[in-house]
Amino acid sequence: HVQLVESGGGSVQPGGSLRLSCQISGLADTNYCLGWFRQAPGKERESVARLARGGTIFYAASVKGRFTISQDTSKNTLYLDMNSLDVSDTAVYYCGAGQYCSLSYITIWGQGTQVTVS
């Protein structure tokens, strides 16, 4: 039973920082793409940062240079460090895993954590 549990969301002022964590359990196969995705009210879910199976990292253009995705395999945890947060970053952030990094292949989701920048 695969489970992804996000934490670390909250409210922050513009320019502030947050660190999101995703505790991963039950994912025995390491050949997965892991990533962070977000969905703002009235908008479709979009990818924010993805860590491909070979180690390649993809960032959305809107977060490049501000957000950093990382993984601590000893703790089975995926992180998203978010700096210089902007009002436009307000969304529910989801941790996801899938066979490939394309959004349509992300089949395992966490419950989401709210990030509010205001």
Side-chain angles (χ1 to χ4, degrees), residues 20-73:
L20 304 183
S21 299
C22 174
Q23 183 68 47
I24 303 166
S25 60
L27 197 61
D29 186 354
T30 58
N31 290 322
Y32 272 86
C33 173
L34 300 172
W36 288 97
F37 306 82
R38 68 186 180 187
Q39 188 165 16
K43 295 187 177 181
E44 293 186 354
R45 192 169 298 189
E46 62 177 0
S47 63
V48 175
R50 293 161 288 162
L51 178 60
R53 292 178 288 177
T56 303
I57 293 175
F58 303 94
Y59 290 105
S62 59
V63 307
K64 203 167 187 178
R66 300 188 298 123
F67 291 11
T68 303
I69 187 172
S70 61
Q71 182 183 17
D72 186 335
T73 55

Side-chain angles (χ1 to χ4, degrees), residues 6-118:
E6 302 97 333
S7 61
S11 296
V12 65
Q13 292 183 343
S17 300
L18 281 174
R19 171 177 252 205
L20 304 183
S21 299
C22 174
Q23 183 68 47
I24 303 166
S25 60
L27 197 61
D29 186 354
T30 58
N31 290 322
Y32 272 86
C33 173
L34 300 172
W36 288 97
F37 306 82
R38 68 186 180 187
Q39 188 165 16
K43 295 187 177 181
E44 293 186 354
R45 192 169 298 189
E46 62 177 0
S47 63
V48 175
R50 293 161 288 162
L51 178 60
R53 292 178 288 177
T56 303
I57 293 175
F58 303 94
Y59 290 105
S62 59
V63 307
K64 203 167 187 178
R66 300 188 298 123
F67 291 11
T68 303
I69 187 172
S70 61
Q71 182 183 17
D72 186 335
T73 55
S74 68
K75 296 181 179 180
N76 293 322
T77 303
L78 186 73
Y79 300 101
L80 183 69
D81 289 295
M82 305 185 294
N83 298 308
S84 302
L85 282 161
D86 183 76
V87 172
S88 61
D89 296 315
T90 296
V92 178
Y93 283 70
Y94 297 90
C95 177
Q99 187 178 11
Y100 300 105
C101 278
S102 176
L103 184 58
S104 60
Y105 284 93
I106 303 300
T107 56
I108 305 169
W109 295 99
Q111 83 286 355
T113 185
Q114 177 71 46
V115 171
T116 302
V117 185
S118 64

